[in-house]
Amino acid sequence: MSEYRHDLVTGQWVIVASNRGERPDEFVETVFERINQDCPFCSGREDDTPPEVARYQLRRTKGWQVRVVPNKYPAVTTSAPPPPPTLSLPAQSGFGVHEVVIESPEHVTSLTELSAEATTLVFRAYADRLAALRKRGDLAYGVVFKNVGASAGASLEHVHSQVLATALVPPPIEQRLARWQQEFQRTDSSVLLRFIQEELAQPQRVIQQTDNFAAVCPFASRVPYEMRIVPLAPRVYFEQSTAAELDELAKLVRDVLTRLEQITNRMAYNLIIHTAPFDSAPHDYYHWHIEILPRLTRAAGFEWGTGCFINPLTPENAAQRLRDA
Amino acid sequence: MSEYRHDLVTGQWVIVASNRGERPDEFVETVFERINQDCPFCSGREDDTPPEVARYQLRRTKGWQVRVVPNKYPAVTTSAPPPPPTLSLPAQSGFGVHEVVIESPEHVTSLTELSAEATTLVFRAYADRLAALRKRGDLAYGVVFKNVGASAGASLEHVHSQVLATALVPPPIEQRLARWQQEFQRTDSSVLLRFIQEELAQPQRVIQQTDNFAAVCPFASRVPYEMRIVPLAPRVYFEQSTAAELDELAKLVRDVLTRLEQITNRMAYNLIIHTAPFDSAPHDYYHWHIEILPRLTRAAGFEWGTGCFINPLTPENAAQRLRDA
């Protein structure tokens, strides 16, 4: 089976080629091999990170459960000159904030090892940081992402995420916003709402559903076991989620990650929280959503060359396996 | 240093953040670990591949030096129904041809281990296959790519490349063509010509130059040691290169890959040959070029989420190191 599929949400294309998964593979890869017992994110090592921006505690406990610190090796910094209001070709300084969310005082490597209460606290930290960075006034865009495993770009295994905010909306995100806005004007319905309605109408790709959220393998999944987590009633800003919503969402994310880990132990993945830009323009056509991209396959020459993905596992199959896990 | 840079050729954005390269790294990865001594690409195993499409011999030798065979696990096939003339949402069959170029009868893992004459033969095969696929009449687009090392998406280590041709131009390539055409109309000069002129005017990012070609680390390199190889006088179709040009080009590619291997032994990389689409429309604004993308870093949550790259090595530094290698 070989089929082109288009994703409404990302605008990207994929060739779903299910026979590719049968290829022989000569290579073995060690995804996790810890060489440094000396983890700067563990409790007792607080002085090894820059001073903390925020800390969270569990009820009835002493000591921190979640810490937010500036990234010691930032991709963007506030020491760069503030940029002009629009991006000018061909280059411009990278003004922004890059933080790390340390998600446990213990040396734990997966969100699934945290208690439900501790996981909720992590999502509380994400929402709070996005809200605080939005409030600064000198930043235009923020994203939360989690890299798990070396194949997913992580350099430390201690459970953590990153918050990155920039003074300019990244141009590919601008393009996505423009596309969502056009679709909104053309169809009188939001891209994310259409995505949810289409996936729920034929629930073969739905993994798990709660009162307010659904986790699905998108129709045009770019990689095996790609998952998208969406609120059933789309909202613009992730950081405006209520405490009850964050609690329900945290549990759902922990559940689907547990499913993923049951299929392949220690699978590397990226998790991304998309929310609307920080500027004051109305973003009623854009809605927050979460992407989870397992990194079992590698983008190769075809993907780099053409911008199209080749996915050797149909999302219908992936969702079935995740439901059964 | 943290700076946004835009690439004229790909249209992509990168944040060059040179301090990111100092991050500690807990993970060790085994890039090459051969577990299968049983290589289907070695001479004597010709029956393990589908019947060959083309074969090439060195002068004064018996036996093949380069073989082209259909990919046993194709991403696109001619058994899919032929597509309608335009891509329709949301899905469509993947009609196309997917071939493998086996680049040596011996179990060699790098192009740099081949003789100059044998390397030229490999480039001859690329050009011939693109010309043959163009001539079929039922395909719209073709690309040649080489995945070296597991991190670059290779499943076999025996030196080889792939040729993939589709009945539809991949939509991201259509977008690139439209951008190049707009730039051509706006500036009366081609994107690739402007790129070459700008890079040669300040040659700090030039690695090596020959009579007719230059190899540079592009201003907005997405990854450390990214290289672009371009003809000094841009041409539309790679496959119309003369024998003398293919010979000169093959030597230059072998030279720059040797430099790369001297910096990091067994570095994984992707090589991509871009040429104009197969349809009969005039593509005078588009020019062939070669991209080499070493895979030392991994696209992580930020890249997947925003479509922007973070590159921890400035291309100025990369070019210096490659020149010195």
Side-chain angles (χ1 to χ4, degrees):
Chain A
M1 200 273 271
S2 180
E3 184 177 80
Y4 281 93
R5 294 187 178 189
H6 177 255
D7 190 288
L8 263 180
V9 172
T10 63
Q12 289 183 317
W13 286 89
V14 62
I15 297 175
V16 179
S18 47
N19 58 329
R20 293 276 293 167
E22 296 152 21
R23 280 183 303 169
D25 198 330
E26 253 183 12
F27 298 107
V28 182
E29 192 197 352
T30 313
V31 176
F32 283 83
E33 188 176 323
R34 215 170 131 198
I35 51 161
N36 182 5
Q37 297 286 336
D38 218 25
C39 174
F41 290 172
C42 282
S43 72
R45 295 285 302 275
E46 288 78 3
D47 291 346
D48 290 359
T49 56
E52 68 197 30
V53 175
R55 80 154 60 194
Y56 296 83
Q57 259 175 270
L58 289 175
R59 283 169 300 169
R60 297 179 300 277
T61 61
K62 287 186 187 171
W64 60 273
Q65 177 63 29
V66 176
R67 286 176 81 224
V68 183
V69 297
N71 193 313
K72 217 169 167 176
Y73 307 94
V76 290
T77 69
T78 49
S79 64
T86 54
L87 201 50
S88 60
L89 294 176
Q92 196 159 289
S93 88
F95 181 91
V97 173
H98 192 172
E99 296 176 343
V100 177
V101 183
I102 304 170
E103 299 172 347
S104 168
E106 277 100 53
H107 196 81
V108 157
T109 62
S110 172
L111 210 62
T112 60
E113 296 172 68
L114 302 181
S115 70
E117 196 191 348
T119 313
T120 299
L121 221 48
V122 167
F123 278 76
R124 174 81 272 156
Y126 298 158
D128 286 354
R129 293 317 302 154
L130 285 172
L133 294 171
R134 176 183 297 279
K135 219 175 150 190
R136 283 177 59 117
D138 57 355
L139 297 168
Y141 170 81
V143 64
V144 175
F145 57 94
K146 177 187 273 303
N147 304 333
V148 177
S151 306
S155 51
L156 293 171
E157 65 171 15
H158 190 123
V159 64
H160 71 285
S161 293
Q162 299 177 65
V163 184
L164 198 147
T166 54
L168 293 158
V169 181
I173 295 289
E174 287 278 22
Q175 286 162 19
R176 180 184 295 199
L177 288 164
R179 199 169 44 73
W180 283 45
Q181 191 165 21
Q182 277 164 19
E183 283 293 306
F184 190 66
Q185 285 160 354
R186 192 177 68 81
T187 63
D188 230 12
S189 169
S190 105
V191 162
L192 200 69
L193 187 61
R194 275 168 61 203
F195 170 77
I196 296 164
Q197 287 170 341
E198 285 170 17
E199 292 293 3
L200 295 186
Q202 289 188 5
Q204 55 183 335
R205 286 179 298 271
V206 177
I207 305 156
Q208 192 174 336
Q209 199 174 327
T210 64
D211 289 348
N212 296 294
F213 301 97
V216 304
C217 292
F219 172 71
S221 291
R222 291 157 290 181
V223 297
Y225 304 110
E226 177 169 347
M227 299 193 267
R228 192 169 286 153
I229 296 164
V230 291
L232 299 179
R235 307 279 181 77
V236 177
Y237 303 108
F238 167 79
E239 56 274 32
Q240 290 180 2
S241 303
T242 65
E245 284 166 347
L246 287 179
D247 192 45
E248 185 181 327
L249 178 66
K251 282 195 185 69
L252 176 60
V253 170
R254 214 176 52 134
D255 278 358
V256 298
L257 289 177
T258 304
R259 291 175 188 277
L260 195 64
E261 288 174 358
Q262 274 165 13
I263 288 175
T264 301
N265 191 23
R266 295 176 152 189
M267 193 187 294
Y269 66 87
N270 299 109
L271 180 151
I272 302 135
I273 303 180
H274 292 274
T275 188
F278 291 170
D279 62 79
S280 57
H283 294 294
D284 48 331
Y285 57 86
Y286 192 75
H287 296 118
W288 76 259
H289 55 284
I290 295 179
E291 291 185 292
I292 297 175
L293 291 144
R295 303 292 294 274
L296 285 171
T297 49
R298 313 303 186 84
F302 183 75
E303 284 84 354
W304 279 96
T306 66
C308 262
F309 294 83
I310 297 174
N311 181 355
L313 181 69
T314 67
E316 293 76 21
N317 250 328
Q320 181 69 54
R321 293 187 200 176
L322 288 163
R323 277 195 303 268
D324 294 347
Chain B
M1 200 278 270
S2 181
E3 183 177 81
Y4 281 94
R5 294 187 178 188
H6 176 255
D7 191 289
L8 263 180
V9 172
T10 63
Q12 290 183 316
W13 286 88
V14 62
I15 298 175
V16 179
S18 46
N19 58 327
R20 293 276 294 166
E22 294 151 23
R23 279 184 304 169
D25 198 331
E26 253 182 13
F27 298 109
V28 182
E29 191 197 351
T30 312
V31 177
F32 283 83
E33 188 176 322
R34 215 171 130 196
I35 53 162
N36 182 5
Q37 296 287 337
D38 218 24
C39 173
F41 291 171
C42 282
S43 73
R45 295 285 302 274
E46 289 76 4
D47 290 346
D48 290 359
T49 57
E52 68 196 28
V53 175
R55 79 152 63 192
Y56 296 83
Q57 256 175 276
L58 289 175
R59 283 169 299 168
R60 294 180 303 277
T61 61
K62 286 186 190 174
W64 60 274
Q65 177 63 30
V66 176
R67 287 175 79 221
V68 183
V69 297
N71 193 314
K72 216 167 166 177
Y73 307 94
V76 289
T77 68
T78 50
S79 65
T86 55
L87 202 50
S88 60
L89 293 176
Q92 195 159 289
S93 87
F95 181 91
V97 172
H98 192 172
E99 296 176 342
V100 177
V101 182
I102 304 170
E103 299 172 346
S104 167
E106 278 99 53
H107 195 81
V108 157
T109 61
S110 171
L111 209 62
T112 60
E113 296 172 68
L114 303 181
S115 69
E117 196 191 347
T119 313
T120 300
L121 221 48
V122 167
F123 278 76
R124 173 82 271 156
Y126 298 158
D128 286 354
R129 292 318 301 154
L130 285 171
L133 293 170
R134 177 183 297 277
K135 217 174 151 189
R136 282 177 58 117
D138 57 356
L139 298 167
Y141 171 79
V143 64
V144 175
F145 57 95
K146 176 187 274 301
N147 304 333
V148 177
S151 307
S155 51
L156 293 171
E157 65 169 15
H158 189 124
V159 64
H160 71 285
S161 293
Q162 299 178 63
V163 184
L164 198 148
T166 54
L168 294 158
V169 180
I173 295 289
E174 287 277 23
Q175 286 162 20
R176 179 183 296 199
L177 287 165
R179 201 170 42 73
W180 283 43
Q181 191 165 22
Q182 278 162 19
E183 283 294 305
F184 189 67
Q185 283 159 357
R186 192 177 69 82
T187 63
D188 229 12
S189 168
S190 106
V191 161
L192 200 70
L193 187 61
R194 276 167 61 204
F195 170 78
I196 297 164
Q197 286 169 342
E198 285 170 18
E199 292 291 4
L200 295 186
Q202 289 188 4
Q204 55 182 336
R205 287 180 297 271
V206 177
I207 306 156
Q208 192 174 335
Q209 199 176 327
T210 64
D211 289 348
N212 297 294
F213 301 97
V216 304
C217 292
F219 172 72
S221 292
R222 291 158 288 180
V223 296
Y225 305 110
E226 176 169 347
M227 299 192 266
R228 193 168 287 153
I229 296 164
V230 290
L232 299 179
R235 308 277 181 77
V236 178
Y237 303 108
F238 167 79
E239 57 273 34
Q240 290 180 2
S241 303
T242 65
E245 284 167 346
L246 288 178
D247 191 44
E248 186 182 328
L249 178 67
K251 283 196 186 68
L252 176 60
V253 171
R254 212 176 52 137
D255 278 359
V256 298
L257 290 176
T258 304
R259 290 175 188 276
L260 196 64
E261 289 175 358
Q262 273 164 14
I263 287 175
T264 302
N265 191 24
R266 297 176 150 187
M267 192 188 293
Y269 66 87
N270 298 109
L271 180 151
I272 302 136
I273 303 180
H274 291 275
T275 188
F278 291 171
D279 62 79
S280 57
H283 295 294
D284 47 333
Y285 57 86
Y286 193 74
H287 295 118
W288 76 259
H289 55 283
I290 296 179
E291 291 185 292
I292 298 176
L293 292 143
R295 303 292 294 275
L296 283 171
T297 50
R298 314 302 185 84
F302 183 76
E303 284 84 354
W304 279 97
T306 67
C308 263
F309 294 83
I310 297 174
N311 181 356
L313 180 68
T314 67
E316 294 75 20
N317 250 328
Q320 181 71 56
R321 292 188 199 174
L322 288 163
R323 277 195 303 268
D324 293 348

